[in-house]
Amino acid sequence: MNEIGKIYNRPWGSYRTIEQRENYQIKHIIVYPGQRLSLQYHLKRDEHWTIIKGIGKMQLDEEIFELSINESVYIPKQSKHRITNQSNSNIEFIEIQIGTYLGEDDIVRLSDDYGRI
């Protein structure tokens, strides 16, 4: 599990864990301008994302839509998802993970701009 409060830098931005318990974890995630997360899914957890800053282009399975401040999306297990920042400022969102396993190795990457497949 991640260390509470520690910032983990990634090529697309950063994240930090705010709280974690046995069956849930809460993260603050930042996506830099022009960057996007990998197209991915999870086998053992659902996620809820709520935008707190900026506007992002969200892909959830085959649907693509915009998310802005105070808007949320529910991402069920095994649903392909990613967010893209097409703006000139950071996107920030709160991610709530709920499931039987919350490790970073429960990420199945389908496509990644940074060669992490």
Side-chain angles (χ1 to χ4, degrees):
M1 290 284 189
N2 296 311
E3 185 179 326
I4 301 295
K6 180 180 177 184
I7 296 172
Y8 293 86
N9 293 304
R10 296 293 182 258
W12 45 261
S14 65
Y15 74 89
R16 69 182 169 86
T17 298
I18 297 169
E19 183 174 343
Q20 66 188 160
R21 296 286 187 257
E22 183 179 326
N23 68 329
Y24 75 90
Q25 180 169 220
I26 303 170
K27 291 182 178 180
H28 174 234
I29 298 174
I30 298 172
V31 182
Y32 298 144
Q35 303 301 311
R36 64 184 178 174
L37 303 185
S38 60
L39 181 61
Q40 60 186 256
Y41 65 90
H42 309 286
L43 296 171
K44 299 180 181 179
R45 69 177 185 239
D46 300 316
E47 294 180 342
H48 300 263
W49 293 1
T50 301
I51 304 296
I52 59 173
K53 180 182 177 188
I55 299 172
K57 184 174 99 177
M58 180 72 198
Q59 178 178 349
L60 181 59
D61 290 320
E62 306 311 316
E63 186 180 358
I64 296 175
F65 53 94
E66 199 170 84
L67 278 178
S68 58
I69 294 175
N70 205 30
E71 292 183 330
S72 309
V73 63
Y74 167 63
I75 305 165
K77 288 179 198 82
Q78 300 185 18
S79 293
K80 297 181 297 185
H81 61 282
R82 82 161 81 200
I83 194 163
T84 302
N85 185 349
Q86 296 178 318
S87 74
N88 293 324
S89 60
N90 290 345
I91 294 172
E92 297 185 31
F93 62 96
I94 300 300
E95 174 182 89
I96 301 172
Q97 303 172 354
I98 300 174
T100 58
Y101 179 75
L102 306 171
E104 288 298 302
D105 57 348
D106 184 34
I107 298 173
V108 179
R109 289 188 175 89
L110 304 170
S111 174
D112 184 70
D113 295 344
Y114 315 102
R116 299 176 299 166
I117 294 179

